[in-house]
Amino acid sequence: MESNEKTNLITSNPYTNYSSKPHHLHYTSTISRVLWLALVVTMPCLAPGMSFGYSAIVLDQLQLTVDEQSWFASLPSTMMPIGCLLSGPLIDKLGRKTALMVTNLPSCLGWLLLSGQPASLYVLYVGQLLVGLSVGLSTTPATVYAAECITVNYTGLRGCFTIMTSIMLNFGMFLTYLLGALMPAYVVAYVAAFVSFAAFIFIGTLIPESPPWLFGQGRRMDAEFSQRVLRIAQPILQTRRAQSLDGDSAAAVRLRSRIVDRLAEPDVYKPMGIMTTFLFFQQACGSFVLTAYMIQLLGGLGVTVDAYLVTLLAGFTNLAAMVLLSVLLTRFGFKQLSYVSCAGYAASMVLLAAFLLCYGGGDSLVINAVVISCVLLNMAMNGLGLRPIPYAMLGEVFPTDVAGVAGSIVACMSSVFNFVAIKSYPYLRIWLGPGVFAVYGALALLTLVFVATIVPDTRGKTIKQIGDDFLRKKSTVDGGVDGVYRKKSCTADEVF
């Protein structure tokens, strides 16, 4: 009876006072409305994404040693883990919307510090740290919000929309390259600060809070109103644990106190282990290294074409590949596109290493053609899957009740891997020479093997079904001995 009443309430006429609230979007039942909502939700990722390319455009404007350059480029990664860990409590305790708004605060302050002229190196370091914190804060909230609220009525398009977080981050990188070719780096920092402020205003005025989170807090009326605003046709709680929170705030408190126990269950620890390993391979094969050192790398490889022009073209190629990925995801799954991405990425790195090791001539035309082609192929294949797909999957492989905590822990580990990869590149380049690119290529092939054998195929599945798959695997392994998990997997579909 209660379920029928809730369904009737959700599908009834809109809230009578809704039209009188100008700060909400007036939604229509179209894909364009959903796309607009996704753009608003991912806007806080734009300014943090600009940090990915900032070191590339500013290092040649600063008089720094090799060690200082490596610290400047990698410092954002030292704060990313802290941001990732903070995003979990923010997402689960304060809400998805609040977490999105908070992301913009350290971002705006950090970019203002980077824009100071003149500024000491230590002030710039602090600015890099704050921007890195904002990157960590931005990695999970938008993806979780997209999976819970934007794509629930469009399961087949979930991959397309959840990838928009990575698209926005990399659009920020492209914007940095574009502006860096036109104006000094400190002016680019001013632009990024303004973008952060605008995103804060947009999130605060244009989107409602996530209905599953509101249900989890016992705020039934707010959740139902949010569902009407988002045009969600039914409750979107993904697990029996989350459903038990409906109208029971005491149960919500008990659930939060048992979060550690929850992380020890197979529908949580299995995807955590898989995604942590996936992100380790992503960072280890240098997915973010080229973007951090692009201009310096091109100069070191003997390219005589304007480095800023090549960098801008590389950023556009990466962004275009991600847009293409969002289209391809309507027909193919994450696994299939990861195969292509990892194979192409490995080919670009191996070809570059082989050319640099074997070619002994000094023809600048040949060097320009081969090196630039390999770099552009690398950026295209990187954007087609290796860089965005692992982060997009964080929003759909975890149950709703622990999505924030589990996703933030995994993203935290990714940030640690990112710091090690970026900090170590200058020294690996000195020690291994062109061989460093061969190492990256070999690791990309290992990533391909890992995706093919371990990473789950989530295409066309709801978050609840993905979680049930991990529970069923546990029951199968136990051969029916573990009655608890057998019961969970057998009765999960009876919830709805």
Side-chain angles (χ1 to χ4, degrees):
M1 178 64 71
E2 180 180 347
S3 177
N4 293 334
E5 290 176 354
K6 185 182 296 183
T7 303
N8 292 336
L9 178 60
I10 295 168
T11 57
S12 62
N13 292 331
Y15 190 69
T16 55
N17 292 330
Y18 172 68
S19 60
S20 66
K21 295 180 180 294
H23 58 284
H24 287 297
L25 289 175
H26 182 68
Y27 293 102
T28 58
S29 299
T30 61
I31 294 296
S32 61
R33 171 189 63 81
V34 178
L35 180 61
W36 165 246
L37 180 61
L39 288 173
V40 172
V41 169
T42 55
M43 190 175 178
C45 300
L46 180 57
M50 294 179 70
S51 68
F52 292 156
Y54 188 70
S55 62
I57 69 168
V58 75
L59 285 179
D60 65 335
Q61 300 177 26
L62 301 173
Q63 301 298 320
L64 303 178
T65 65
V66 172
D67 187 61
E68 289 172 341
Q69 287 184 359
S70 68
W71 275 112
F72 186 91
S74 61
L75 270 179
S77 300
T78 64
M79 291 298 290
M80 286 181 196
I82 298 176
C84 293
L85 291 177
L86 290 176
S87 69
L90 286 174
I91 292 170
D92 290 335
K93 294 184 178 181
L94 301 182
R96 281 58 165 149
K97 176 178 177 177
T98 300
L100 288 168
M101 294 178 67
V102 169
T103 296
N104 298 284
L105 301 180
S107 176
C108 186
L109 179 57
W111 284 114
L112 288 175
L113 291 176
L114 289 170
S115 66
Q117 288 293 315
S120 72
L121 180 60
Y122 295 105
V123 171
L124 297 178
Y125 280 171
V126 174
Q128 284 284 79
L129 290 172
L130 288 173
V131 171
L133 178 65
S134 71
V135 175
L137 290 171
S138 71
T139 53
T140 308
T143 304
V144 172
Y145 191 100
E148 291 181 355
C149 306
I150 299 176
T151 63
V152 65
N153 291 335
Y154 305 92
T155 304
L157 300 176
R158 186 177 64 229
C160 173
F161 288 113
T162 54
I163 210 73
M164 288 192 67
T165 299
S166 294
I167 291 178
M168 191 63 76
L169 286 168
N170 283 270
F171 179 71
M173 181 188 71
F174 170 73
L175 184 61
T176 299
Y177 291 156
L178 175 61
L179 295 177
L182 302 174
M183 58 187 67
Y186 74 91
V187 180
V188 178
Y190 272 121
V191 174
F194 173 78
V195 169
S196 295
F197 177 76
F200 180 86
I201 300 299
F202 275 38
I203 293 295
T205 58
L206 296 179
I207 65 169
E209 184 53 82
S210 167
W213 183 81
L214 291 171
F215 269 116
Q217 302 301 307
R219 296 164 58 181
R220 177 195 293 269
M221 296 302 295
D222 290 337
E224 290 172 345
F225 172 71
S226 182
Q227 285 181 255
R228 288 196 297 272
V229 173
L230 294 167
R231 292 294 191 269
I232 297 171
Q234 61 181 355
I236 56 176
L237 303 179
Q238 302 298 343
T239 65
R240 289 193 301 166
R241 296 175 182 83
Q243 188 186 37
S244 68
L245 298 178
D246 183 11
D248 187 356
S249 59
V253 174
R254 291 194 299 272
L255 176 60
R256 287 193 292 269
S257 68
R258 298 197 306 268
I259 191 66
V260 175
D261 293 336
R262 191 69 181 89
L263 294 176
E265 297 188 14
D267 59 335
V268 181
Y269 74 75
K270 285 184 178 181
M272 284 183 67
I274 291 172
M275 296 312 302
T276 299
T277 307
F278 195 1
L279 286 163
F280 166 78
F281 280 119
Q282 176 209 57
Q283 299 291 347
C285 62
S287 179
F288 286 83
V289 168
L290 263 64
T291 58
Y293 294 102
M294 181 67 71
I295 292 176
Q296 294 71 31
L297 182 144
L298 292 171
L301 296 181
V303 174
T304 58
V305 179
D306 182 21
Y308 282 92
L309 178 61
V310 178
T311 298
L312 180 60
L313 182 59
F316 176 78
T317 301
N318 185 260
L319 178 63
M322 287 196 181
V323 174
L324 176 61
L325 172 65
S326 69
V327 176
L328 293 176
L329 283 171
T330 61
R331 297 188 59 186
F332 305 98
F334 285 140
K335 282 178 70 78
Q336 291 78 11
L337 292 170
S338 293
Y339 299 156
V340 177
S341 175
C342 293
Y345 186 97
S348 70
M349 290 286 92
V350 172
L351 287 174
L352 179 60
F355 172 77
L356 295 175
L357 289 170
C358 299
Y359 183 71
D363 191 335
S364 61
L365 181 62
V366 175
I367 294 175
N368 289 339
V370 176
V371 172
I372 293 175
S373 296
C374 288
V375 168
L376 294 181
L377 176 61
N378 177 275
M379 296 299 286
M381 293 298 101
N382 200 2
L384 196 61
L386 183 60
R387 176 178 286 189
I389 283 179
Y391 293 110
M393 292 185 68
L394 293 182
E396 64 177 29
V397 296
F398 298 115
T400 299
D401 56 321
V402 291
V405 172
S408 65
I409 292 174
V410 175
C412 171
M413 296 304 302
S414 172
S415 299
V416 174
F417 304 147
N418 180 267
F419 168 76
V420 174
I422 294 178
K423 185 71 172 69
S424 63
Y425 168 75
Y427 305 101
L428 291 176
R429 184 75 174 88
I430 294 173
W431 296 335
L432 301 178
V436 66
F437 303 115
V439 172
Y440 288 155
L443 289 170
L445 290 177
L446 287 177
T447 307
L448 174 60
V449 174
F450 175 78
V451 171
T453 57
I454 304 297
V455 174
D457 191 353
T458 60
R459 183 170 182 260
K461 298 179 181 179
T462 65
I463 298 176
K464 172 179 175 296
Q465 290 170 335
I466 295 169
D468 287 348
D469 286 343
F470 288 113
L471 293 174
R472 291 192 183 98
K473 289 178 183 178
K474 174 67 176 179
S475 297
T476 302
V477 172
D478 291 344
V481 175
D482 190 343
V484 175
Y485 287 115
R486 173 173 289 279
K487 182 178 180 181
K488 288 181 180 177
S489 63
C490 293
T491 62
D493 294 333
E494 298 174 6
V495 174
F496 296 102

